[in-house]
Amino acid sequence: MLGRIINNIKGDKYVWYIVTALSAISLLLVYSSTRSLAYKNMHGNTEYYLLRHGFMLAVGLFITYVVHQIDHRYFSRIAQMMLILSVPLLLYTKFFGVRINDASRWVRIPVVGLTFQSSDFAKLALIMYTSRMLSKKQGVIKDIKEVTIHIMAPILLICGLIMFDNFSSAGILFATCIVVLFIGRVSTKFILAIMGSGLVMVSLIIAFSWFFIKDHGRADVWLGRVTSWQNPDINSDDFYQQKQAYIAIAKGGLFRLAPGKSTQCNFLPDAFSDFIYATLIEEYGLFGGAFVLFLYLFFMWRLIVLVKNSPRAFGALMAVGLGTSMVLQAVIHMGVNVHLLPNTGITLPLISWGGTSIWFNAFAIGIILSVSRSVEERIVTSKSTTKKDKLKVVEEIHG
């Protein structure tokens, strides 16, 4: 059974190696950063969170395997339906979702009790839909009416709905869509118009939150994070998390090999999620942090190679969009952890502790590998056809 599964693994082998490496690193870091918490909350069972996280990762890898076996063109058919479903789902989350840390981002699934971020679903839907529209509208891509109705409006609508409670995710999704539009040969003036419309939308949402929502909604949080980043006060409560991250990074030094030896995770809030990169550096030093950064950048390189080899616009755009979203999120997470960027509250894809977010990322990687599998099969078929043609010519020459 295992041998058959291994033989059926297709797609870019380097992407599989990267996913496997990041999953292994994730298990090590989540265990080291949650063992004290598990001991306290689970009556001495230090492996509780490790086993739960390992289960989520295992299911995620299974999702990747199943999805990568599906023809990626199938996702073009469901992209529009997913986008339409995203709108009421985001609205439901805004008004009736589970609130955590004063943000309503989660929807609880009845019976099973699991929660998921509706923005994860909307992100997949929007990237798939935008890729579909760009591939279908190449003939009228310079028509401002077509671009506005079928591409600009959905991007602004979905990103706007997400932004109310998740500014960073909305920003990452918007930036990813801009990348997809650029690769999809949308004219520069249209892209600039979309970016300008995005800035106007952000200004209006911030103004609406400030003047019409009780306690300014999330606007106070956004302003506080930017202010704390610009003018850090080491003794301020707002700077406590970043100060503990500094200490973790300083302990790691240039090179360290100390898996499970993190002590700063006992003081650093969200050491297993929002600040897991600081935990990584504490245990494996700057070289360990650089290695993980290299894995994400190498993943981006494999996406570029995939785009160059892909004969179909939809598959190429969808793969690069989904991959860019993850890489961009990873780079921003690292920037926050080393204080190059304001705190955003986003996790490190495929490494941070997570529930259903791991499954959404696994689904996205499965789609990327499905596109890669299609490209590989085309190349093999092309080589086989060329070889047969050459043999036929030789046979004709020699009678």
Side-chain angles (χ1 to χ4, degrees):
M1 180 67 178
L2 181 61
R4 190 202 295 183
I5 292 175
I6 293 174
N7 290 332
N8 286 331
I9 291 177
K10 306 294 182 182
D12 191 331
K13 62 181 180 180
Y14 293 107
V15 173
W16 280 108
Y17 294 154
I18 291 167
V19 171
T20 303
L22 291 175
S23 298
I25 293 169
S26 176
L27 284 173
L28 291 172
L29 291 176
V30 167
Y31 177 60
S32 63
S33 58
T34 60
R35 64 190 189 280
S36 297
L37 186 65
Y39 183 84
K40 177 183 177 182
N41 295 341
M42 299 298 160
H43 310 290
N45 183 8
T46 57
E47 287 80 28
Y48 174 81
Y49 293 116
L50 170 68
L51 295 174
R52 184 182 184 277
H53 186 65
F55 171 77
M56 302 300 284
L57 284 175
V59 173
L61 289 173
F62 177 74
I63 291 172
T64 299
Y65 174 80
V66 171
V67 173
H68 103 288
Q69 297 283 348
I70 302 172
D71 190 328
H72 70 274
R73 288 172 292 184
Y74 172 78
F75 298 106
S76 176
R77 303 172 187 172
I78 66 172
Q80 196 166 8
M81 182 175 61
M82 288 177 62
L83 185 78
I84 294 171
L85 182 60
S86 295
V87 176
L89 184 61
L90 289 170
L91 289 172
Y92 176 85
T93 305
K94 172 63 183 173
F95 296 104
F96 307 105
V98 178
R99 297 191 66 85
I100 300 176
N101 295 330
D102 296 323
S104 183
R105 303 175 183 174
W106 293 264
V107 174
R108 190 176 302 280
I109 303 173
V111 183
V112 294
L114 284 175
T115 59
F116 71 97
Q117 288 196 42
S118 54
S119 60
D120 287 333
F121 179 85
K123 176 180 70 176
L124 277 174
L126 182 60
I127 292 173
M128 290 164 59
Y129 171 84
T130 303
S131 303
R132 168 188 165 87
M133 284 295 106
L134 286 173
S135 62
K136 289 175 68 68
K137 301 290 182 180
Q138 283 297 307
V140 291
I141 202 67
K142 297 186 182 298
D143 187 331
I144 189 170
K145 181 180 178 181
E146 291 288 334
V147 173
T148 300
I149 294 175
H150 296 287
I151 298 175
M152 183 189 294
I155 290 174
L156 294 178
L157 174 63
I158 296 298
C159 291
L161 290 173
I162 293 174
M163 182 186 160
F164 274 104
D165 285 284
N166 200 338
F167 186 97
S168 52
S169 293
I172 291 171
L173 180 56
F174 186 79
T176 300
C177 290
I178 294 298
V179 172
V180 174
L181 293 177
F182 178 77
I183 296 174
R185 300 192 300 174
V186 174
S187 68
T188 304
K189 66 177 182 180
F190 286 169
I191 292 177
L192 291 175
I194 293 173
M195 293 173 67
S197 301
L199 289 175
V200 171
M201 178 190 69
V202 170
S203 302
L204 291 175
I205 290 177
I206 291 176
F208 180 83
S209 299
W210 190 266
F211 292 108
F212 297 103
I213 297 180
K214 183 180 179 181
D215 298 327
H216 309 312
R218 296 286 294 172
D220 266 345
V221 177
W222 303 334
L223 181 62
R225 287 176 174 177
V226 173
T227 302
S228 177
W229 175 67
Q230 289 180 325
N231 305 294
D233 180 0
I234 199 167
N235 295 315
S236 169
D237 290 339
D238 293 334
F239 199 71
Y240 175 81
Q241 194 173 32
Q242 190 62 59
K243 181 170 70 174
Q244 301 304 319
Y246 276 159
I247 296 172
I249 293 170
K251 285 182 177 179
L254 187 63
F255 179 80
R256 192 184 186 200
L257 189 61
K261 299 292 181 64
S262 171
T263 56
Q264 204 57 32
C265 63
N266 298 320
F267 307 96
L268 174 61
D270 300 318
F272 49 86
S273 55
D274 298 358
F275 277 80
I276 200 168
Y277 190 66
T279 304
L280 167 71
I281 296 177
E282 181 187 2
E283 296 194 354
Y284 300 97
L286 182 61
F287 277 101
F291 174 71
V292 169
L293 175 60
F294 166 77
L295 288 178
Y296 285 107
L297 295 180
F298 186 53
F299 176 57
M300 193 70 216
W301 168 248
R302 297 310 302 173
L303 290 173
I304 294 172
V305 173
L306 176 58
V307 170
K308 289 173 62 178
N309 294 330
S310 179
R312 297 187 179 92
F314 172 67
L317 293 170
M318 183 169 57
V320 78
L322 295 172
T324 298
S325 176
M326 282 188 281
V327 173
L328 187 58
Q329 180 177 332
V331 171
I332 291 174
H333 173 97
M334 296 175 193
V336 169
N337 276 232
V338 299
H339 201 55
L340 290 176
L341 295 171
N343 194 353
T344 59
I346 62 173
T347 57
L348 190 57
L350 303 176
I351 290 184
S352 290
W353 162 273
T356 52
S357 62
I358 292 175
W359 296 348
F360 280 107
N361 284 328
F363 190 89
I365 292 171
I367 293 176
I368 293 170
L369 287 167
S370 174
V371 177
S372 175
R373 179 177 62 85
S374 176
V375 171
E376 286 184 354
E377 289 174 352
R378 172 181 170 273
I379 293 173
V380 170
T381 303
S382 177
K383 288 181 178 180
S384 176
T385 303
T386 303
K387 187 175 180 180
K388 288 180 181 178
D389 290 341
K390 288 181 179 179
L391 289 173
K392 185 177 181 181
V393 170
V394 171
E395 289 175 358
E396 289 176 353
I397 291 174
H398 294 283

